[in-house]
Amino acid sequence: MEKKNRLILALDVTDRENALRIANEVSDYVDSIKVGYPLVLGEGLSIVKELVEIAPVIADFKVADIPNTDRLICEHVFNAGAAGIITHGFTGRDSLDSCVKVANEFGTDVYVVTEMSHPGGVEFFRPVAEDIASMAVEAGASGVVAPATRPERVKDIRKIIGEELSIISPGVGAQGGSAADVIRAGADWVIVGRSIYNSDSPAEAAKKICDEMNC
Ligand code: 3DU
């Protein structure tokens, strides 16, 4: 993903019309659009084909299954035109390897969740986040997902993954995290949903976050 604005839009609206309107309004300010279950279950995977005309798409399906099922999911997503996919890592190295293999065939990116940004994200993830980050490096993932609500954890995870992998970081705005703080802590991109798509002016909201990060 080209680093221009350091902002990824989490497009968790559930209908095509709103999705395309918001995506078009913020396209100057975002490097990528993240879509997940809310929009794809609402409109089908074909929405990805439409959104890639506006910006590169990351599919946030938090893939977490056996290697064969993971492979099938990744193939669908990349055939639809997504430039990247978000996977879990707790399912183990063989499952992650399967996703990375498909991504390498398509020339796309795999981002692995380390520790989640919501309060419950510390319950089970905290003790394994570092191990998952190390595994992401060893498996040849493109990057990891780390919590903007805990910039100190982004710092910890950056130490483990080094400079080659990217950190994409959700939790800014509605979840309480600060874009500037988490970029300072070592994130490459922030992922922002509600603060943008629920705003009366998504473009102004996106611009404000960009300005905070000096991009
Ligand atoms: O809180 P927001 O509305 O800005 O949306 C954050 C997005 O990032 C949303 O799509 C959510 O599913 C995703 N996400 C997290 O919030 C936290 C994680 O650890 C991983 C993904």
Side-chain angles (χ1 to χ4, degrees), residues 10 12 34 60 62 115-117 145 170 172 174-175 191-194 197:
D12 293 328
K34 182 178 84 65
D60 183 1
K62 296 191 178 68
E115 181 175 303
M116 293 188 75
S117 59
V145 185
V172 167
Q175 295 183 52
I191 298 170
V192 185
R194 284 165 288 179
Y197 67 72

Side-chain angles (χ1 to χ4, degrees), residues 128-198:
V128 295
E130 270 98 345
D131 287 345
I132 291 177
S134 298
M135 184 179 66
V137 176
E138 286 157 18
S142 307
V144 298
V145 185
T149 46
R150 293 178 218 103
E152 73 284 2
R153 294 296 287 151
V154 170
K155 245 185 218 168
D156 293 342
I157 286 161
R158 173 58 77 198
K159 276 186 207 141
I160 288 165
I161 66 171
E163 295 302 321
E164 209 168 298
L165 269 68
S166 303
I167 297 180
I168 60 176
S169 189
V172 167
Q175 295 183 52
S178 143
D181 286 354
V182 76
I183 292 292
R184 261 196 299 275
D188 296 285
W189 282 274
V190 294
I191 298 170
V192 185
R194 284 165 288 179
S195 301
I196 296 175
Y197 67 72
N198 283 340

Side-chain angles (χ1 to χ4, degrees), residues 71-148:
R71 174 181 67 79
L72 295 168
I73 295 168
C74 288
E75 284 174 359
H76 267 302
V77 163
F78 295 139
N79 275 322
I85 194 162
I86 293 176
T87 73
H88 270 303
F90 63 75
T91 41
R93 178 67 190 267
D94 53 351
S95 292
L96 179 56
D97 280 347
S98 176
C99 296
V100 171
K101 183 167 181 281
V102 179
N104 287 342
E105 284 160 19
F106 280 85
T108 51
D109 293 315
V110 171
Y111 300 94
V112 185
V113 176
T114 56
E115 181 175 303
M116 293 188 75
S117 59
H118 62 311
V122 299
E123 286 176 29
F124 295 100
F125 272 111
R126 171 66 57 84
V128 295
E130 270 98 345
D131 287 345
I132 291 177
S134 298
M135 184 179 66
V137 176
E138 286 157 18
S142 307
V144 298
V145 185

